[in-house]
């Protein structure tokens, strides 16, 4: 969570002013962080969780076991629907910890956040 908090300081969020940081750990113990990266063409903004996942995959990681998401909101905010889908692809059973400045901590699993998910297994049965 400290790494996620640190990543949030690098958020590029001049439009929403909503700073988000994420830090994930891969199955081989590597850590990747990410922040939200907004754009003047609003729809092209990228969430912090997805930034971290893209960094992981582009460096050869394929599975993560846990992810921390930091925001300044109370209660701590949880990954958006699009992020849940992206997280599911690479860590369906990963722990998701959401925290804030007040040390409030909420914990789920990716699967718990996305019941009945569509994933890689579905394509194998086509
Ligand atoms: N945001 C994230 O980074 N992660 C989420 O799961 C929810 C939303 C970002 C997107 C946008 O830059 C800002 O928060 C406000 O929606």
């Amino acid at each position: 969570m400290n790494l996620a908090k640190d990543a949030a300081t690098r958020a590029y969020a001049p439009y929403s002013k909503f700073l988000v940081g994420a830090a994930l750990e891969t199955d081989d113990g590597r850590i990747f962080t990410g922040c939200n990266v907004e754009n003047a063409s609003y729809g092209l903004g990228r969430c912090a969780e997805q930034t971290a996942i893209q960094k992981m995959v582009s460096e050869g990681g394929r599975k993560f076991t846990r992810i921390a998401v930091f925001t300044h909101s109370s209660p701590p905010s949880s990954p958006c629907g699009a992020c849940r889908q992206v997280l599911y692809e690479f860590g369906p059973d990963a722990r998701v910890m959401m925290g804030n400045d007040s040390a409030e901590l909420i914990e789920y699993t990716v699967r718990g956040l996305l019941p009945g998910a569509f994933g890689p297994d579905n394509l194998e049965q086509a």
Side-chain angles (χ1 to χ4, degrees):
M1 189 57 72
N2 284 332
L3 291 173
K5 182 175 181 176
D6 186 52
T9 66
R10 295 185 289 277
Y12 178 73
Y15 308 107
S16 73
K17 318 260 192 242
F18 191 74
L19 312 179
V20 188
L24 63 77
E25 185 172 22
T26 63
D27 57 352
D28 58 0
R30 288 188 290 164
I31 291 186
F32 293 93
T33 62
C35 60
N36 50 333
V37 183
E38 298 185 347
N39 193 279
S41 178
Y42 296 164
L44 298 181
R46 186 68 67 228
C47 289
E49 300 91 320
Q50 293 183 49
T51 303
I53 288 284
Q54 295 204 352
K55 286 171 68 179
M56 176 190 82
V57 173
S58 62
E59 295 301 323
R62 287 292 182 273
K63 196 160 200 69
F64 73 100
T65 55
R66 55 186 184 143
I67 183 167
V69 181
F70 178 90
T71 56
H72 293 282
S73 52
S74 179
S77 66
S78 82
C80 77
C83 284
R84 294 175 191 205
Q85 181 70 32
V86 171
L87 294 174
Y88 187 84
E89 183 82 14
F90 300 102
D93 296 306
R95 292 166 60 199
V96 182
M97 287 151 280
M98 310 154 201
N100 61 17
D101 297 305
S102 317
E104 293 177 278
L105 194 67
I106 299 174
E107 188 167 334
Y108 280 95
T109 62
V110 173
R111 199 181 294 283
L113 289 171
L114 198 62
F118 178 83
D121 290 350
N122 295 103
L123 294 176
E124 279 166 22
Q125 287 155 27

